[in-house]
């Protein structure tokens, strides 16, 4: 898709240039560890909301705090647990149950 490598008409050249810029932008995001982590979290969140049912919205304060493991946890109706580490709380808003397909949203 490199524009200099294309031997096409104006429409194809414009499409190739647009595609090249998209690829370049993707590389800038995924080539940087910080922006890649943000992108991965957003993708994970998008996939969860598309594929798994949202069970409940919960305030972080309503979850149990485990000092030893530095985790917030909440029991799921299936008997499993939702858990999120303290370091993830600012980046993650959707959390999967560890044994079923239910998801909670942390407010």
């Amino acid at each position: 898709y490199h524009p200099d490598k294309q031997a096409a008409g104006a429409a194809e050249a414009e499409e190739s240039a647009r595609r090249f810029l998209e690829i370049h932008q993707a590389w800038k995001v995924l080539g940087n560890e910080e922006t890649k982590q943000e992108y991965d979290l957003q993708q994970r969140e998008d996939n969860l909301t598309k594929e798994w049912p949202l069970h409940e919205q919960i305030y972080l304060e309503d979850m149990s705090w485990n000092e030893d493991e530095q985790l917030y946890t909440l029991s799921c109706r299936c008997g499993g647990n939702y858990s999120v580490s303290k370091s993830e709380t600012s980046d993650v808003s959707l959390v999967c149950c560890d044994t079923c397909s239910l998801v909670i949203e942390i407010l």
Side-chain angles (χ1 to χ4, degrees), residues 1 6 9-22:
Y1 291 105
Q6 303 299 315
E12 290 91 1
E14 187 175 317
E15 175 63 22
S16 292
R18 185 190 62 75
R19 183 74 175 132
F20 177 77
L21 291 174
E22 286 176 357

Side-chain angles (χ1 to χ4, degrees), residues 62-81:
D62 294 335
M63 297 179 78
S64 299
W65 171 247
N66 182 320
E67 186 68 38
D68 295 334
E69 295 182 25
Q70 296 286 298
L71 282 177
Y72 289 96
T73 60
L74 181 72
S75 294
C76 180
R77 68 180 184 200
C78 74
N81 285 303

Side-chain angles (χ1 to χ4, degrees), residues 4 15 17 21 25 28 33 38 70 73 75 81 92 102:
D4 294 341
E15 175 63 22
L21 291 174
Q25 182 63 31
K28 285 173 55 176
E33 192 60 38
E38 289 174 23
Q70 296 286 298
T73 60
S75 294
N81 285 303
V92 174
L102 295 177

